Structures are given as C-alpha cells and as structure tokens.
Short mmCIF file of all heavy atoms in Angstrom, two decimals:
data_model
loop_
_atom_site.label_atom_id
_atom_site.label_comp_id
_atom_site.label_asym_id
_atom_site.label_seq_id
_atom_site.Cartn_x
_atom_site.Cartn_y
_atom_site.Cartn_z
N LYS A 33 106.05 -3.51 -34.24
CA LYS A 33 106.87 -4.67 -33.87
C LYS A 33 108.30 -4.54 -34.38
O LYS A 33 109.25 -4.93 -33.69
CB LYS A 33 106.24 -5.94 -34.45
CG LYS A 33 105.00 -6.41 -33.71
CD LYS A 33 104.46 -7.68 -34.35
CE LYS A 33 103.23 -8.18 -33.60
NZ LYS A 33 102.65 -9.39 -34.24
N TYR A 34 108.46 -3.98 -35.58
CA TYR A 34 109.79 -3.90 -36.16
C TYR A 34 110.39 -2.51 -35.97
O TYR A 34 111.02 -1.94 -36.86
CB TYR A 34 109.73 -4.28 -37.65
CG TYR A 34 109.21 -5.69 -37.84
CD1 TYR A 34 108.13 -5.94 -38.67
CD2 TYR A 34 109.78 -6.74 -37.14
CE1 TYR A 34 107.63 -7.23 -38.83
CE2 TYR A 34 109.30 -8.03 -37.29
CZ TYR A 34 108.22 -8.27 -38.14
OH TYR A 34 107.74 -9.54 -38.27
N ARG A 35 110.18 -1.96 -34.77
CA ARG A 35 110.78 -0.68 -34.42
C ARG A 35 112.28 -0.87 -34.20
O ARG A 35 112.76 -1.98 -33.98
CB ARG A 35 110.12 -0.15 -33.15
CG ARG A 35 110.38 -1.02 -31.93
CD ARG A 35 109.42 -0.76 -30.81
NE ARG A 35 109.70 -1.62 -29.66
CZ ARG A 35 109.35 -2.90 -29.58
NH1 ARG A 35 108.70 -3.47 -30.57
NH2 ARG A 35 109.66 -3.60 -28.49
N ASP A 36 112.98 0.21 -34.22
CA ASP A 36 114.43 0.18 -33.98
C ASP A 36 114.67 0.53 -32.50
O ASP A 36 114.51 1.68 -32.08
CB ASP A 36 115.13 1.19 -34.89
CG ASP A 36 116.64 1.03 -34.86
OD1 ASP A 36 117.14 0.35 -33.94
OD2 ASP A 36 117.30 1.58 -35.76
N ILE A 37 115.02 -0.50 -31.70
CA ILE A 37 115.16 -0.31 -30.26
C ILE A 37 116.38 0.55 -29.90
O ILE A 37 116.53 1.00 -28.77
CB ILE A 37 115.25 -1.66 -29.53
CG1 ILE A 37 116.43 -2.49 -30.05
CG2 ILE A 37 113.95 -2.44 -29.70
CD1 ILE A 37 116.64 -3.80 -29.32
N GLU A 38 117.25 0.77 -30.91
CA GLU A 38 118.43 1.60 -30.65
C GLU A 38 118.09 3.08 -30.71
O GLU A 38 118.89 3.92 -30.29
CB GLU A 38 119.52 1.27 -31.67
CG GLU A 38 120.04 -0.17 -31.56
CD GLU A 38 121.10 -0.47 -32.60
OE1 GLU A 38 121.41 0.46 -33.40
OE2 GLU A 38 121.62 -1.60 -32.62
N LYS A 39 116.90 3.43 -31.24
CA LYS A 39 116.50 4.83 -31.34
C LYS A 39 115.78 5.26 -30.06
O LYS A 39 115.08 4.46 -29.43
CB LYS A 39 115.61 5.05 -32.55
CG LYS A 39 116.36 4.83 -33.87
CD LYS A 39 115.45 5.01 -35.08
CE LYS A 39 116.24 4.77 -36.37
NZ LYS A 39 115.40 4.87 -37.58
N LEU A 40 115.95 6.51 -29.71
CA LEU A 40 115.36 7.03 -28.49
C LEU A 40 113.83 7.03 -28.54
O LEU A 40 113.17 6.76 -27.54
CB LEU A 40 115.87 8.47 -28.23
CG LEU A 40 117.37 8.58 -27.92
CD1 LEU A 40 117.77 10.05 -27.79
CD2 LEU A 40 117.72 7.81 -26.65
N GLN A 41 113.27 7.35 -29.70
CA GLN A 41 111.83 7.44 -29.83
C GLN A 41 111.38 6.69 -31.10
O GLN A 41 111.89 6.93 -32.18
CB GLN A 41 111.38 8.90 -29.94
CG GLN A 41 109.88 9.07 -30.12
CD GLN A 41 109.07 8.60 -28.91
OE1 GLN A 41 109.33 9.04 -27.78
NE2 GLN A 41 108.16 7.70 -29.10
N SER A 42 110.43 5.75 -30.92
CA SER A 42 109.85 5.02 -32.07
C SER A 42 108.56 5.73 -32.48
O SER A 42 107.73 6.05 -31.63
CB SER A 42 109.55 3.57 -31.69
OG SER A 42 110.76 2.89 -31.39
N LYS A 43 108.43 5.97 -33.77
CA LYS A 43 107.28 6.71 -34.27
C LYS A 43 106.60 5.97 -35.43
O LYS A 43 107.26 5.31 -36.23
CB LYS A 43 107.72 8.10 -34.77
CG LYS A 43 108.35 8.97 -33.70
CD LYS A 43 108.76 10.31 -34.28
CE LYS A 43 109.38 11.20 -33.20
NZ LYS A 43 109.80 12.52 -33.76
N VAL A 44 105.28 6.13 -35.49
CA VAL A 44 104.48 5.65 -36.62
C VAL A 44 103.55 6.78 -37.03
O VAL A 44 102.82 7.33 -36.18
CB VAL A 44 103.65 4.40 -36.25
CG1 VAL A 44 102.76 4.00 -37.44
CG2 VAL A 44 104.56 3.24 -35.87
N ALA A 45 103.61 7.16 -38.29
CA ALA A 45 102.77 8.24 -38.80
C ALA A 45 101.82 7.70 -39.88
O ALA A 45 102.25 6.98 -40.79
CB ALA A 45 103.62 9.36 -39.40
N ILE A 46 100.54 8.02 -39.74
CA ILE A 46 99.53 7.63 -40.72
C ILE A 46 99.09 8.90 -41.44
O ILE A 46 98.42 9.76 -40.85
CB ILE A 46 98.34 6.92 -40.05
CG1 ILE A 46 98.84 5.75 -39.21
CG2 ILE A 46 97.33 6.46 -41.10
CD1 ILE A 46 97.83 5.23 -38.23
N LEU A 47 99.50 9.05 -42.69
CA LEU A 47 99.33 10.28 -43.43
C LEU A 47 98.39 10.06 -44.61
O LEU A 47 98.41 9.00 -45.25
CB LEU A 47 100.67 10.81 -43.94
CG LEU A 47 101.80 10.90 -42.89
CD1 LEU A 47 103.10 11.32 -43.54
CD2 LEU A 47 101.41 11.88 -41.78
N GLY A 48 97.57 11.06 -44.91
CA GLY A 48 96.66 10.96 -46.05
C GLY A 48 96.61 12.26 -46.82
O GLY A 48 96.61 13.35 -46.23
N ARG A 49 96.52 12.16 -48.15
CA ARG A 49 96.45 13.36 -48.97
C ARG A 49 95.78 13.02 -50.31
O ARG A 49 95.78 11.87 -50.75
CB ARG A 49 97.83 13.94 -49.22
CG ARG A 49 98.78 12.99 -49.97
CD ARG A 49 100.10 13.64 -50.24
NE ARG A 49 100.98 12.71 -50.98
CZ ARG A 49 102.16 13.05 -51.47
NH1 ARG A 49 102.62 14.29 -51.30
NH2 ARG A 49 102.88 12.17 -52.14
N TRP A 50 95.24 14.06 -50.94
CA TRP A 50 94.60 13.90 -52.24
C TRP A 50 95.63 14.01 -53.35
O TRP A 50 96.51 14.86 -53.33
CB TRP A 50 93.53 14.98 -52.44
CG TRP A 50 92.25 14.69 -51.71
CD1 TRP A 50 91.90 15.13 -50.47
CD2 TRP A 50 91.17 13.90 -52.18
NE1 TRP A 50 90.66 14.66 -50.12
CE2 TRP A 50 90.18 13.90 -51.16
CE3 TRP A 50 90.93 13.19 -53.35
CZ2 TRP A 50 88.98 13.23 -51.29
CZ3 TRP A 50 89.73 12.52 -53.48
CH2 TRP A 50 88.78 12.54 -52.46
N GLU A 51 95.51 13.14 -54.33
CA GLU A 51 96.25 13.25 -55.58
C GLU A 51 95.23 13.39 -56.71
O GLU A 51 94.03 13.30 -56.49
CB GLU A 51 97.14 12.02 -55.79
CG GLU A 51 98.26 11.87 -54.76
CD GLU A 51 99.31 12.97 -54.87
OE1 GLU A 51 99.39 13.61 -55.95
OE2 GLU A 51 100.03 13.20 -53.88
N SER A 52 95.72 13.57 -57.95
CA SER A 52 94.80 13.87 -59.06
C SER A 52 93.82 12.74 -59.33
O SER A 52 92.64 12.98 -59.58
CB SER A 52 95.61 14.17 -60.33
OG SER A 52 96.43 13.05 -60.67
N GLN A 53 94.28 11.49 -59.27
CA GLN A 53 93.42 10.36 -59.63
C GLN A 53 93.11 9.44 -58.46
O GLN A 53 92.45 8.41 -58.67
CB GLN A 53 94.10 9.54 -60.75
CG GLN A 53 94.34 10.30 -62.04
CD GLN A 53 93.05 10.78 -62.67
OE1 GLN A 53 92.03 10.08 -62.66
NE2 GLN A 53 93.05 11.98 -63.22
N HIS A 54 93.55 9.76 -57.27
CA HIS A 54 93.33 8.86 -56.14
C HIS A 54 93.57 9.60 -54.82
O HIS A 54 94.05 10.74 -54.81
CB HIS A 54 94.26 7.64 -56.24
CG HIS A 54 95.71 8.02 -56.27
ND1 HIS A 54 96.40 8.17 -57.46
CD2 HIS A 54 96.60 8.30 -55.29
CE1 HIS A 54 97.65 8.51 -57.20
NE2 HIS A 54 97.80 8.60 -55.89
N TYR A 55 93.19 8.91 -53.75
CA TYR A 55 93.55 9.39 -52.40
C TYR A 55 94.65 8.48 -51.89
O TYR A 55 94.54 7.24 -51.97
CB TYR A 55 92.35 9.36 -51.46
CG TYR A 55 92.62 10.05 -50.14
CD1 TYR A 55 92.49 11.42 -50.03
CD2 TYR A 55 93.01 9.33 -49.02
CE1 TYR A 55 92.74 12.07 -48.82
CE2 TYR A 55 93.27 9.96 -47.82
CZ TYR A 55 93.13 11.34 -47.72
OH TYR A 55 93.39 11.98 -46.53
N GLU A 56 95.70 9.08 -51.37
CA GLU A 56 96.88 8.32 -50.96
C GLU A 56 96.99 8.33 -49.44
O GLU A 56 96.98 9.38 -48.81
CB GLU A 56 98.12 8.96 -51.58
CG GLU A 56 99.42 8.26 -51.23
CD GLU A 56 100.61 8.95 -51.90
OE1 GLU A 56 100.64 9.01 -53.15
OE2 GLU A 56 101.48 9.45 -51.16
N ILE A 57 97.07 7.13 -48.87
CA ILE A 57 97.26 7.02 -47.42
C ILE A 57 98.49 6.15 -47.18
O ILE A 57 98.65 5.09 -47.80
CB ILE A 57 96.01 6.44 -46.73
CG1 ILE A 57 96.21 6.41 -45.21
CG2 ILE A 57 95.64 5.07 -47.27
CD1 ILE A 57 94.91 6.18 -44.44
N SER A 58 99.37 6.60 -46.29
CA SER A 58 100.62 5.88 -46.06
C SER A 58 100.86 5.69 -44.57
O SER A 58 100.45 6.50 -43.73
CB SER A 58 101.79 6.64 -46.69
OG SER A 58 101.89 7.95 -46.15
N ILE A 59 101.52 4.58 -44.26
CA ILE A 59 101.92 4.26 -42.89
C ILE A 59 103.45 4.29 -42.88
O ILE A 59 104.10 3.45 -43.52
CB ILE A 59 101.39 2.88 -42.43
CG1 ILE A 59 99.86 2.92 -42.30
CG2 ILE A 59 102.01 2.49 -41.10
CD1 ILE A 59 99.13 2.55 -43.57
N GLU A 60 104.02 5.25 -42.18
CA GLU A 60 105.47 5.44 -42.15
C GLU A 60 105.98 5.19 -40.73
O GLU A 60 105.33 5.55 -39.75
CB GLU A 60 105.84 6.86 -42.59
CG GLU A 60 105.36 7.22 -44.00
CD GLU A 60 105.75 8.62 -44.39
OE1 GLU A 60 106.72 9.16 -43.78
OE2 GLU A 60 105.10 9.19 -45.29
N ASP A 61 107.15 4.56 -40.66
CA ASP A 61 107.78 4.34 -39.34
C ASP A 61 109.26 4.67 -39.43
O ASP A 61 109.81 4.85 -40.52
CB ASP A 61 107.55 2.90 -38.87
CG ASP A 61 108.22 1.87 -39.78
OD1 ASP A 61 109.46 1.94 -39.93
OD2 ASP A 61 107.50 1.02 -40.34
N ASN A 62 109.90 4.76 -38.29
CA ASN A 62 111.35 4.97 -38.24
C ASN A 62 112.04 3.74 -37.69
O ASN A 62 113.00 3.81 -36.92
CB ASN A 62 111.69 6.22 -37.40
CG ASN A 62 111.29 6.05 -35.94
OD1 ASN A 62 110.46 5.21 -35.61
ND2 ASN A 62 111.88 6.85 -35.05
N GLY A 63 111.52 2.58 -38.10
CA GLY A 63 112.02 1.30 -37.60
C GLY A 63 113.29 0.85 -38.27
O GLY A 63 114.03 1.62 -38.87
N ILE A 64 113.52 -0.45 -38.21
CA ILE A 64 114.81 -1.01 -38.67
C ILE A 64 114.91 -1.07 -40.20
O ILE A 64 115.99 -1.21 -40.74
CB ILE A 64 115.01 -2.43 -38.10
CG1 ILE A 64 113.85 -3.33 -38.52
CG2 ILE A 64 115.15 -2.39 -36.60
CD1 ILE A 64 114.00 -4.76 -38.06
N GLY A 65 113.76 -0.95 -40.91
CA GLY A 65 113.79 -0.91 -42.37
C GLY A 65 114.00 -2.28 -43.00
O GLY A 65 114.18 -3.30 -42.32
N ILE A 66 113.99 -2.28 -44.34
CA ILE A 66 114.10 -3.52 -45.11
C ILE A 66 115.11 -3.30 -46.24
O ILE A 66 115.17 -2.21 -46.83
CB ILE A 66 112.74 -3.92 -45.73
CG1 ILE A 66 111.66 -4.01 -44.65
CG2 ILE A 66 112.83 -5.23 -46.49
CD1 ILE A 66 110.25 -4.14 -45.19
N GLU A 67 115.90 -4.32 -46.52
CA GLU A 67 116.85 -4.23 -47.62
C GLU A 67 116.11 -4.05 -48.95
O GLU A 67 115.02 -4.59 -49.15
CB GLU A 67 117.71 -5.50 -47.69
CG GLU A 67 118.64 -5.71 -46.51
CD GLU A 67 119.82 -4.75 -46.52
OE1 GLU A 67 120.07 -4.13 -47.58
OE2 GLU A 67 120.47 -4.61 -45.47
N GLU A 68 116.73 -3.31 -49.88
CA GLU A 68 116.09 -3.00 -51.16
C GLU A 68 115.78 -4.28 -51.96
O GLU A 68 114.74 -4.39 -52.61
CB GLU A 68 116.99 -2.08 -51.98
CG GLU A 68 116.37 -1.66 -53.31
CD GLU A 68 117.28 -0.73 -54.09
OE1 GLU A 68 118.34 -0.33 -53.55
OE2 GLU A 68 116.93 -0.41 -55.24
N LYS A 69 116.66 -5.28 -51.90
CA LYS A 69 116.47 -6.50 -52.67
C LYS A 69 115.29 -7.33 -52.17
O LYS A 69 114.80 -8.22 -52.86
CB LYS A 69 117.75 -7.34 -52.64
CG LYS A 69 118.13 -7.83 -51.25
CD LYS A 69 119.41 -8.64 -51.28
CE LYS A 69 119.79 -9.11 -49.87
NZ LYS A 69 121.04 -9.89 -49.88
N GLU A 70 114.84 -7.04 -50.92
CA GLU A 70 113.76 -7.82 -50.32
C GLU A 70 112.42 -7.10 -50.36
O GLU A 70 111.38 -7.70 -50.07
CB GLU A 70 114.10 -8.17 -48.87
CG GLU A 70 115.34 -9.05 -48.74
CD GLU A 70 115.70 -9.32 -47.29
OE1 GLU A 70 115.54 -8.39 -46.47
OE2 GLU A 70 116.11 -10.44 -46.99
N ILE A 71 112.41 -5.81 -50.74
CA ILE A 71 111.19 -5.01 -50.61
C ILE A 71 110.07 -5.53 -51.50
O ILE A 71 108.88 -5.42 -51.17
CB ILE A 71 111.51 -3.52 -50.93
CG1 ILE A 71 110.38 -2.62 -50.41
CG2 ILE A 71 111.74 -3.31 -52.41
CD1 ILE A 71 110.30 -2.54 -48.93
N GLN A 72 110.40 -6.12 -52.69
CA GLN A 72 109.37 -6.59 -53.62
C GLN A 72 108.74 -7.91 -53.17
O GLN A 72 107.73 -8.32 -53.72
CB GLN A 72 109.99 -6.78 -55.02
CG GLN A 72 110.53 -5.50 -55.63
CD GLN A 72 109.48 -4.42 -55.78
OE1 GLN A 72 108.32 -4.71 -56.07
NE2 GLN A 72 109.87 -3.17 -55.57
N SER A 73 109.34 -8.57 -52.18
CA SER A 73 108.85 -9.90 -51.77
C SER A 73 108.08 -9.88 -50.46
O SER A 73 107.60 -10.93 -50.02
CB SER A 73 110.04 -10.87 -51.64
OG SER A 73 110.76 -10.95 -52.86
N ILE A 74 107.95 -8.73 -49.84
CA ILE A 74 107.37 -8.71 -48.49
C ILE A 74 105.89 -9.08 -48.49
O ILE A 74 105.35 -9.44 -47.45
CB ILE A 74 107.57 -7.33 -47.82
CG1 ILE A 74 106.87 -6.23 -48.62
CG2 ILE A 74 109.05 -7.03 -47.65
CD1 ILE A 74 106.89 -4.88 -47.92
#
C-alpha cells in the first residue's frame, strides 16, 4: 500500500536467514519510507 508510485518498479522482498541465537525474517520494500523520528511509534 505504501509503495512509491514515482518509482518504475515497486518491490517487496521477504528474506530469511539463520543467526547464532535466532532465525531472522524480514520484509523489505522500496516504498516511500518513514521519517526516523516516527519509526519508534509505528
């Protein structure tokens, strides 16, 4: 939903990998992003 319509291609990547004490899975996009001051409140 919060993709960047100004970009030619909108992408979402779901990545997973092992770390020493956990398994890490992340959802990454190339959307419009969020200001740093607001990231802790989302």
Side-chain angles (χ1 to χ4, degrees):
K33 285 181 179 178
Y34 301 126
R35 65 198 180 282
D36 190 345
I37 58 176
E38 296 179 0
K39 294 178 180 177
L40 294 176
Q41 179 65 54
S42 295
K43 299 180 180 180
V44 176
I46 305 164
L47 310 175
R49 61 177 181 173
W50 282 94
E51 295 293 340
S52 59
Q53 298 299 321
H54 59 265
Y55 189 83
E56 180 180 299
I57 184 166
S58 59
I59 292 90
E60 301 180 21
D61 64 59
N62 65 339
I64 57 177
I66 305 169
E67 294 287 345
E68 183 179 355
K69 64 181 179 180
E70 297 177 323
I71 197 69
Q72 298 301 324
S73 303
I74 61 173

